[in-house]
Amino acid sequence: MSIVEPSSGSAPAVDDGLYTVICTGIDERIVENDQFGNPDKLEFHLELENVRDEDDQPVTLDPRINRKWSEKATLYKWAVAFGLDISLDAPLDTDLLLGR
């Protein structure tokens, strides 16, 4: 059995539903001791369109995904969802996702 320690940090409260997001940035991250041996990550900065917090600031989410490029990879699925016309035979420039 695995033991899960309490998490720290804060996440915005967002009601269940579907939201349009805009990719405002992507950073490369290294996650030490990744349980699946994939330390190389991309941290996306996604702004929820037309959603504001209690201080009237845009709500953003910062999910991390593996820095992998294949048909089964989350990055590929996100690139398709963001509307890129892409080829798995060529490298992906993540700057193409910005503003989408």
Side-chain angles (χ1 to χ4, degrees), residues 21-42:
V21 298
I22 298 171
C23 182
T24 60
I26 302 171
D27 296 316
E28 293 182 13
R29 298 281 186 236
I30 302 292
V31 175
E32 300 297 329
N33 300 320
D34 179 79
Q35 73 182 58
F36 298 107
N38 297 316
D40 298 325
K41 308 287 182 191
L42 293 173

Side-chain angles (χ1 to χ4, degrees), residues 9-80:
S10 61
V14 179
D15 293 332
D16 288 344
L18 298 176
Y19 296 88
T20 301
V21 298
I22 298 171
C23 182
T24 60
I26 302 171
D27 296 316
E28 293 182 13
R29 298 281 186 236
I30 302 292
V31 175
E32 300 297 329
N33 300 320
D34 179 79
Q35 73 182 58
F36 298 107
N38 297 316
D40 298 325
K41 308 287 182 191
L42 293 173
E43 182 177 82
F44 279 71
H45 306 290
L46 305 175
E47 182 177 313
L48 279 67
E49 253 186 3
N50 304 316
V51 179
R52 310 294 274 191
D53 66 13
E54 59 277 354
D55 297 324
D56 200 35
Q57 297 299 310
V59 173
T60 60
L61 303 174
D62 302 308
R64 289 184 183 167
I65 64 172
N66 290 328
R67 193 172 182 270
K68 302 263 185 187
W69 187 235
S70 72
E71 188 173 6
K72 293 183 179 181
T74 301
L75 180 57
Y76 173 76
K77 294 174 183 176
W78 283 25
V80 170

